Amino acid sequence: MAKSRPDRGIEDMRQLPLGLTLAGLLLAGTTAPAVAETLEELDALSDLTATEAGGIAAAREAAGRGELLDALAMLERTLGAFPRSAEALLLHAQYLCAIDDRQGGLVELRLLRERDYQDNALEDVRTFCGGN
């Protein structure tokens, strides 16, 4: 049986986009905050993110508690089912900036269109991320 090299897994993860890295950490059960630790919690999470509005609300609630990695994970689940959700995309970019992944947030913001948002919401997140 081949020996496992724990440092190699970390090196491989550095090559992945942050969203995939977060998802990998959550699935691997590492020290990153886990959104769901039991089957019951996973079922509850699936129910919360089954609709676009539910996933966004759950992410906002987690972010309100300061659980930004959990909020990002919920948004990623939501975006998996609703990839064109303007609100989820904007929140995802904002939360990336909030965890100090400014580059990731700005890359996502460049893909969004002003016409999909009201009341300068996109501009406000750009300012938050320092991308004016």
Side-chain angles (χ1 to χ4, degrees), residues 17-37:
L18 179 64
L20 292 177
T21 302
L22 288 173
L25 288 171
L26 291 172
L27 290 174
T30 64
T31 58
V35 175
E37 296 179 5

PDB file of all heavy atoms in Angstrom, residues 17-37:
ATOM      1  N   PRO A  17      -9.590  26.746  -7.379  1.00  0.00           N
ATOM      2  CA  PRO A  17     -10.293  27.965  -6.983  1.00  0.00           C
ATOM      3  C   PRO A  17     -10.802  27.829  -5.550  1.00  0.00           C
ATOM      4  O   PRO A  17     -11.074  26.730  -5.079  1.00  0.00           O
ATOM      5  CB  PRO A  17     -11.473  28.039  -7.960  1.00  0.00           C
ATOM      6  CG  PRO A  17     -11.118  27.133  -9.090  1.00  0.00           C
ATOM      7  CD  PRO A  17     -10.188  26.094  -8.533  1.00  0.00           C
ATOM      8  N   LEU A  18     -10.929  28.964  -4.865  1.00  0.00           N
ATOM      9  CA  LEU A  18     -11.314  28.943  -3.461  1.00  0.00           C
ATOM     10  C   LEU A  18     -12.610  28.178  -3.224  1.00  0.00           C
ATOM     11  O   LEU A  18     -12.717  27.414  -2.280  1.00  0.00           O
ATOM     12  CB  LEU A  18     -11.452  30.363  -2.908  1.00  0.00           C
ATOM     13  CG  LEU A  18     -11.873  30.438  -1.448  1.00  0.00           C
ATOM     14  CD1 LEU A  18     -10.804  29.819  -0.563  1.00  0.00           C
ATOM     15  CD2 LEU A  18     -12.131  31.857  -1.032  1.00  0.00           C
ATOM     16  N   GLY A  19     -13.607  28.372  -4.084  1.00  0.00           N
ATOM     17  CA  GLY A  19     -14.884  27.695  -3.888  1.00  0.00           C
ATOM     18  C   GLY A  19     -14.734  26.192  -3.867  1.00  0.00           C
ATOM     19  O   GLY A  19     -15.309  25.502  -3.033  1.00  0.00           O
ATOM     20  N   LEU A  20     -13.915  25.644  -4.773  1.00  0.00           N
ATOM     21  CA  LEU A  20     -13.696  24.200  -4.780  1.00  0.00           C
ATOM     22  C   LEU A  20     -12.902  23.769  -3.557  1.00  0.00           C
ATOM     23  O   LEU A  20     -13.128  22.707  -2.999  1.00  0.00           O
ATOM     24  CB  LEU A  20     -12.961  23.789  -6.054  1.00  0.00           C
ATOM     25  CG  LEU A  20     -13.750  23.944  -7.343  1.00  0.00           C
ATOM     26  CD1 LEU A  20     -12.880  23.571  -8.530  1.00  0.00           C
ATOM     27  CD2 LEU A  20     -15.003  23.098  -7.317  1.00  0.00           C
ATOM     28  N   THR A  21     -11.973  24.609  -3.146  1.00  0.00           N
ATOM     29  CA  THR A  21     -11.182  24.289  -1.960  1.00  0.00           C
ATOM     30  C   THR A  21     -12.076  24.233  -0.732  1.00  0.00           C
ATOM     31  O   THR A  21     -11.987  23.305   0.071  1.00  0.00           O
ATOM     32  CB  THR A  21     -10.070  25.332  -1.756  1.00  0.00           C
ATOM     33  OG1 THR A  21      -9.263  25.358  -2.929  1.00  0.00           O
ATOM     34  CG2 THR A  21      -9.218  24.994  -0.556  1.00  0.00           C
ATOM     35  N   LEU A  22     -12.954  25.214  -0.562  1.00  0.00           N
ATOM     36  CA  LEU A  22     -13.864  25.216   0.588  1.00  0.00           C
ATOM     37  C   LEU A  22     -14.752  23.983   0.571  1.00  0.00           C
ATOM     38  O   LEU A  22     -14.936  23.331   1.598  1.00  0.00           O
ATOM     39  CB  LEU A  22     -14.731  26.475   0.592  1.00  0.00           C
ATOM     40  CG  LEU A  22     -14.039  27.768   0.952  1.00  0.00           C
ATOM     41  CD1 LEU A  22     -14.983  28.943   0.737  1.00  0.00           C
ATOM     42  CD2 LEU A  22     -13.545  27.743   2.372  1.00  0.00           C
ATOM     43  N   ALA A  23     -15.285  23.675  -0.595  1.00  0.00           N
ATOM     44  CA  ALA A  23     -16.152  22.499  -0.685  1.00  0.00           C
ATOM     45  C   ALA A  23     -15.369  21.236  -0.342  1.00  0.00           C
ATOM     46  O   ALA A  23     -15.852  20.370   0.383  1.00  0.00           O
ATOM     47  CB  ALA A  23     -16.752  22.394  -2.089  1.00  0.00           C
ATOM     48  N   GLY A  24     -14.135  21.147  -0.828  1.00  0.00           N
ATOM     49  CA  GLY A  24     -13.305  19.992  -0.519  1.00  0.00           C
ATOM     50  C   GLY A  24     -13.009  19.887   0.960  1.00  0.00           C
ATOM     51  O   GLY A  24     -13.036  18.800   1.535  1.00  0.00           O
ATOM     52  N   LEU A  25     -12.720  21.015   1.604  1.00  0.00           N
ATOM     53  CA  LEU A  25     -12.461  20.999   3.041  1.00  0.00           C
ATOM     54  C   LEU A  25     -13.683  20.537   3.813  1.00  0.00           C
ATOM     55  O   LEU A  25     -13.579  19.747   4.750  1.00  0.00           O
ATOM     56  CB  LEU A  25     -12.053  22.388   3.532  1.00  0.00           C
ATOM     57  CG  LEU A  25     -10.657  22.858   3.132  1.00  0.00           C
ATOM     58  CD1 LEU A  25     -10.487  24.326   3.503  1.00  0.00           C
ATOM     59  CD2 LEU A  25      -9.588  22.014   3.769  1.00  0.00           C
ATOM     60  N   LEU A  26     -14.839  21.031   3.414  1.00  0.00           N
ATOM     61  CA  LEU A  26     -16.059  20.655   4.118  1.00  0.00           C
ATOM     62  C   LEU A  26     -16.366  19.177   3.932  1.00  0.00           C
ATOM     63  O   LEU A  26     -16.752  18.492   4.881  1.00  0.00           O
ATOM     64  CB  LEU A  26     -17.235  21.513   3.644  1.00  0.00           C
ATOM     65  CG  LEU A  26     -17.140  22.981   4.052  1.00  0.00           C
ATOM     66  CD1 LEU A  26     -18.236  23.784   3.371  1.00  0.00           C
ATOM     67  CD2 LEU A  26     -17.219  23.146   5.550  1.00  0.00           C
ATOM     68  N   LEU A  27     -16.168  18.674   2.718  1.00  0.00           N
ATOM     69  CA  LEU A  27     -16.446  17.264   2.471  1.00  0.00           C
ATOM     70  C   LEU A  27     -15.418  16.366   3.147  1.00  0.00           C
ATOM     71  O   LEU A  27     -15.737  15.270   3.589  1.00  0.00           O
ATOM     72  CB  LEU A  27     -16.466  16.991   0.970  1.00  0.00           C
ATOM     73  CG  LEU A  27     -17.649  17.592   0.221  1.00  0.00           C
ATOM     74  CD1 LEU A  27     -17.481  17.384  -1.274  1.00  0.00           C
ATOM     75  CD2 LEU A  27     -18.954  16.987   0.699  1.00  0.00           C
ATOM     76  N   ALA A  28     -14.174  16.839   3.253  1.00  0.00           N
ATOM     77  CA  ALA A  28     -13.117  16.022   3.845  1.00  0.00           C
ATOM     78  C   ALA A  28     -13.195  15.994   5.360  1.00  0.00           C
ATOM     79  O   ALA A  28     -12.540  15.187   5.999  1.00  0.00           O
ATOM     80  CB  ALA A  28     -11.757  16.558   3.410  1.00  0.00           C
ATOM     81  N   GLY A  29     -13.971  16.893   5.949  1.00  0.00           N
ATOM     82  CA  GLY A  29     -14.110  16.906   7.393  1.00  0.00           C
ATOM     83  C   GLY A  29     -12.880  17.449   8.094  1.00  0.00           C
ATOM     84  O   GLY A  29     -12.552  17.020   9.186  1.00  0.00           O
ATOM     85  N   THR A  30     -12.184  18.394   7.464  1.00  0.00           N
ATOM     86  CA  THR A  30     -11.005  18.977   8.093  1.00  0.00           C
ATOM     87  C   THR A  30     -11.435  20.001   9.122  1.00  0.00           C
ATOM     88  O   THR A  30     -12.605  20.113   9.450  1.00  0.00           O
ATOM     89  CB  THR A  30     -10.099  19.635   7.040  1.00  0.00           C
ATOM     90  OG1 THR A  30     -10.819  20.710   6.456  1.00  0.00           O
ATOM     91  CG2 THR A  30      -9.666  18.645   5.984  1.00  0.00           C
ATOM     92  N   THR A  31     -10.492  20.798   9.588  1.00  0.00           N
ATOM     93  CA  THR A  31     -10.788  21.732  10.657  1.00  0.00           C
ATOM     94  C   THR A  31     -11.614  22.934  10.210  1.00  0.00           C
ATOM     95  O   THR A  31     -11.997  23.737  11.037  1.00  0.00           O
ATOM     96  CB  THR A  31      -9.489  22.242  11.306  1.00  0.00           C
ATOM     97  OG1 THR A  31      -8.694  22.862  10.292  1.00  0.00           O
ATOM     98  CG2 THR A  31      -8.737  21.106  11.964  1.00  0.00           C
ATOM     99  N   ALA A  32     -11.903  23.077   8.930  1.00  0.00           N
ATOM    100  CA  ALA A  32     -12.783  24.150   8.494  1.00  0.00           C
ATOM    101  C   ALA A  32     -14.163  23.905   9.087  1.00  0.00           C
ATOM    102  O   ALA A  32     -14.578  22.758   9.274  1.00  0.00           O
ATOM    103  CB  ALA A  32     -12.875  24.178   6.966  1.00  0.00           C
ATOM    104  N   PRO A  33     -14.904  24.961   9.411  1.00  0.00           N
ATOM    105  CA  PRO A  33     -16.228  24.766  10.011  1.00  0.00           C
ATOM    106  C   PRO A  33     -17.110  23.903   9.111  1.00  0.00           C
ATOM    107  O   PRO A  33     -17.201  24.143   7.926  1.00  0.00           O
ATOM    108  CB  PRO A  33     -16.786  26.189  10.110  1.00  0.00           C
ATOM    109  CG  PRO A  33     -15.607  27.080  10.048  1.00  0.00           C
ATOM    110  CD  PRO A  33     -14.565  26.350   9.241  1.00  0.00           C
ATOM    111  N   ALA A  34     -17.701  22.905   9.681  1.00  0.00           N
ATOM    112  CA  ALA A  34     -18.562  22.014   8.911  1.00  0.00           C
ATOM    113  C   ALA A  34     -19.989  22.524   8.964  1.00  0.00           C
ATOM    114  O   ALA A  34     -20.483  22.899  10.015  1.00  0.00           O
ATOM    115  CB  ALA A  34     -18.494  20.605   9.476  1.00  0.00           C
ATOM    116  N   VAL A  35     -20.637  22.540   7.819  1.00  0.00           N
ATOM    117  CA  VAL A  35     -22.026  22.961   7.753  1.00  0.00           C
ATOM    118  C   VAL A  35     -22.920  21.858   8.294  1.00  0.00           C
ATOM    119  O   VAL A  35     -23.847  22.109   9.015  1.00  0.00           O
ATOM    120  CB  VAL A  35     -22.407  23.335   6.307  1.00  0.00           C
ATOM    121  CG1 VAL A  35     -23.877  23.659   6.209  1.00  0.00           C
ATOM    122  CG2 VAL A  35     -21.572  24.512   5.829  1.00  0.00           C
ATOM    123  N   ALA A  36     -22.616  20.633   7.933  1.00  0.00           N
ATOM    124  CA  ALA A  36     -23.426  19.502   8.380  1.00  0.00           C
ATOM    125  C   ALA A  36     -22.492  18.386   8.839  1.00  0.00           C
ATOM    126  O   ALA A  36     -21.610  17.979   8.110  1.00  0.00           O
ATOM    127  CB  ALA A  36     -24.317  19.014   7.246  1.00  0.00           C
ATOM    128  N   GLU A  37     -22.708  17.930  10.051  1.00  0.00           N
ATOM    129  CA  GLU A  37     -21.854  16.884  10.596  1.00  0.00           C
ATOM    130  C   GLU A  37     -22.566  15.542  10.720  1.00  0.00           C
ATOM    131  O   GLU A  37     -21.921  14.525  10.864  1.00  0.00           O
ATOM    132  CB  GLU A  37     -21.311  17.317  11.954  1.00  0.00           C
ATOM    133  CG  GLU A  37     -20.401  18.529  11.859  1.00  0.00           C
ATOM    134  CD  GLU A  37     -19.878  18.979  13.203  1.00  0.00           C
ATOM    135  OE1 GLU A  37     -20.148  18.305  14.205  1.00  0.00           O
ATOM    136  OE2 GLU A  37     -19.201  20.013  13.235  1.00  0.00           O
TER     137      GLU A  37
END
